[in-house]
């Protein structure tokens, strides 16, 4: 009876070991590991839909869209403003400089700042004094529970959205602008899931093979 129980115990343990092994293999996919590294080193939260897409298609590292995540630096990110943020910025600016202040300088600062976002510090380049006012507004904006649209630059006017309700989608900003409180700023349009963009790209490559 003891011998029977011994083998019965071993049999029940085998599936558990296999399950753990399968889970471990799933977690060690190269892109999952890369995302963990990016989160630790840069504070970059890669949307789950993006992770699942790259795992599904088994893309080589030289694939353009995939390679972007292996060459990440501060220049990889571009910010897009929301109407609520522009309203806040203009309101605070007029509180300081008066209701009739010319918004030209503020507009120029906002246009420059979108390329100077620091993902790890969650701010615009603090070494540039021109962004001091914008950073103060951004801190206030985030404390209210809101966030700007943070994207990764994919080139050719394509941007991968990293947050908000459109996270994981690719959008473009070709000649797309909105005006709020006298400030004209770029906005994103034509949102498409990343996997659709990949399929189109891969099909296009097959035509030339």
């Amino acid at each position: 009876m003891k011998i029977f129980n011994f083998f019965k115990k071993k049999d029940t343990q085998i599936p558990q070991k296999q399950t753990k092994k399968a889970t471990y293999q799933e977690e060690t996919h190269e892109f999952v590991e890369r995302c963990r590294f990016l989160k630790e080193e840069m504070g970059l939260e890669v949307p789950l839909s993006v992770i699942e897409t790259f795992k599904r298609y088994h893309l080589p590292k030289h694939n353009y869209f995939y390679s972007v995540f292996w060459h990440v630096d501060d220049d990889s990110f571009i910010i897009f403003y929301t109407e609520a943020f522009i309203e806040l910025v203009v309101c605070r600016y007029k509180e300081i400089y008066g209701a009739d202040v010319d918004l030209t300088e503020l507009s120029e600062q906002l246009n420059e700042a979108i390329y100077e976002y620091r993902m790890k510090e969650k701010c615009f380049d603090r070494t540039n004094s021109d962004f001091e006012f914008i950073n103060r507004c951004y801190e206030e904006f985030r404390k209210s529970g809101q966030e700007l649209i943070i994207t990764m630059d994919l080139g050719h006017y394509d941007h991968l959205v990293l947050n908000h309700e459109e996270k994981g989608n690719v959008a473009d900003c070709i000649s797309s602008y909105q005006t709020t409180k006298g400030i004209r700023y770029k906005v994103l349009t034509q949102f498409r899931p990343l996997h659709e963009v990949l399929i189109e790209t891969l099909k296009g490559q097959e035509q030339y093979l």
Side-chain angles (χ1 to χ4, degrees):
M1 182 63 70
K2 289 183 178 180
I3 294 175
F4 174 77
N5 288 336
F6 171 76
F7 284 107
K8 183 178 180 181
K9 185 177 181 182
K10 286 190 68 176
D11 289 342
T12 58
Q13 289 176 335
I14 292 173
Q16 294 175 358
K17 289 182 179 179
Q18 290 175 340
T19 302
K20 289 181 179 178
K21 184 177 181 181
T23 303
Y24 177 76
Q25 290 176 340
E26 181 75 10
E27 291 177 348
T28 54
H29 185 281
E30 67 170 5
F31 191 63
V32 173
E33 290 298 322
R34 181 61 181 170
C35 290
R36 288 176 181 167
F37 173 81
L38 292 173
K39 183 177 180 180
E40 293 172 0
E41 294 296 313
M42 300 197 69
L44 170 57
E45 292 275 0
V46 179
L48 181 59
S49 61
V50 173
I51 297 174
E52 293 300 324
T53 295
F54 284 135
K55 285 168 58 179
R56 186 189 318 150
Y57 287 97
H58 305 290
L59 297 170
K61 285 186 181 180
H62 66 263
N63 175 275
Y64 178 74
F65 292 102
Y66 195 45
S67 67
V68 167
F69 287 90
W70 300 86
H71 301 89
V72 183
D73 57 26
D74 289 331
D75 293 333
S76 301
F77 307 106
I78 295 180
I79 289 292
F80 287 84
Y81 300 122
T82 63
E83 185 174 357
F85 180 71
I86 296 298
E87 289 178 346
L88 172 65
V89 170
V90 173
C91 179
R92 296 291 178 263
Y93 197 73
K94 288 186 175 182
E95 287 175 357
I96 297 172
Y97 299 105
D100 298 325
V101 65
D102 186 343
L103 299 177
T104 301
E105 184 175 348
L106 174 61
S107 180
E108 291 174 353
Q109 291 175 355
L110 286 167
N111 288 337
E112 292 176 9
I114 63 174
Y115 304 105
E116 302 297 336
Y117 188 72
R118 302 294 181 257
M119 178 64 75
K120 190 171 185 178
E121 293 82 13
K122 304 299 181 188
C123 67
F124 300 95
D125 184 8
R126 291 193 186 279
T127 66
N128 190 333
S129 59
D130 288 343
F131 303 145
E132 184 178 346
F133 170 73
I134 297 174
N135 270 322
R136 290 204 306 270
C137 293
Y138 181 49
E139 289 174 9
E140 180 181 345
F141 192 66
R142 293 187 69 222
K143 285 180 181 178
S144 71
Q146 302 181 79
E147 185 55 271
L148 300 178
I149 302 173
I150 304 172
T151 73
M152 286 191 76
D153 183 11
L154 301 180
H156 306 292
Y157 302 100
D158 286 327
H159 300 268
L160 176 66
V161 183
L162 300 174
N163 62 347
H164 275 255
E165 64 274 7
E166 296 288 355
K167 65 181 179 182
N169 289 334
V170 177
D172 70 55
C173 66
I174 300 178
S175 302
S176 301
Y177 290 88
Q178 182 170 317
T179 301
T180 300
K181 297 291 184 179
I183 298 292
R184 188 169 179 259
Y185 54 100
K186 284 188 176 182
V187 295
L188 294 169
T189 59
Q190 300 181 26
F191 295 92
R192 295 177 296 161
L194 176 62
H195 71 268
E196 290 185 6
V197 178
L198 278 177
I199 290 173
E200 290 178 9
T201 303
L202 294 174
K203 284 182 178 179
Q205 292 175 348
E206 288 176 357
Q207 295 177 357
Y208 295 99
L209 293 178

